[in-house]
Amino acid sequence: MNTSPWPTIAALHAWLTEQSPVPPEQQRLLRVLKLSEEVGEAAEAVIGATGQNPRKGHSHTWQDVESELCDVIITAMVALTTLTPDPAGTFESHLAGVARRSLGNDRATSGG
């Protein structure tokens, strides 16, 4: 069973590209900027889940935060797909480098 999200991301990317009224260069910029919007929504959900805005109180749940974080990840994956013909390979290579730097060689390749 293939559980890779990349085919779905490719379909979302194709759909967005087809629906976009702006040229490709603007699409690249706007998809990266869209990340800021999604991160802001995640932050808003955290504030709402913790009740930190006295005017709004507990306006969100931690499930809302989870959903918003998923939107951040999806948006980043679509943006990466806009920038490179091999988003999965680019991501996997970058993740491996971060893991090597952070976890060391043994833990980076052993899965934990």
Side-chain angles (χ1 to χ4, degrees):
M1 183 171 117
N2 184 5
T3 59
S4 172
W6 292 105
T8 302
I9 295 300
L12 289 168
H13 174 266
W15 173 73
L16 286 167
T17 300
E18 180 182 297
Q19 299 297 315
S20 181
V22 298
E25 278 303 309
Q26 286 181 334
Q27 289 178 38
R28 293 173 80 189
L29 297 174
L30 292 171
R31 289 188 185 148
V32 172
L33 289 175
K34 177 76 172 159
L35 277 167
S36 294
E37 178 187 3
E38 296 297 344
V39 169
E41 291 175 6
E44 180 182 18
V46 168
I47 290 167
T50 58
Q52 294 302 303
N53 184 337
R55 185 174 53 80
K56 294 183 179 179
H58 288 274
S59 59
H60 292 75
T61 66
W62 286 105
Q63 288 77 23
D64 294 327
V65 176
E66 292 171 6
S67 178
E68 294 300 343
L69 288 173
C70 288
D71 287 347
V72 170
I73 294 166
I74 293 165
T75 301
M77 292 174 80
V78 170
L80 185 59
T81 300
T82 303
L83 297 175
T84 178
D86 182 17
T90 299
F91 177 76
E92 290 168 15
S93 175
H94 188 79
L95 179 60
V98 169
R100 275 192 302 279
R101 289 191 306 276
S102 302
L103 303 174
N105 287 335
D106 295 337
R107 291 178 63 198
T109 57
S110 69

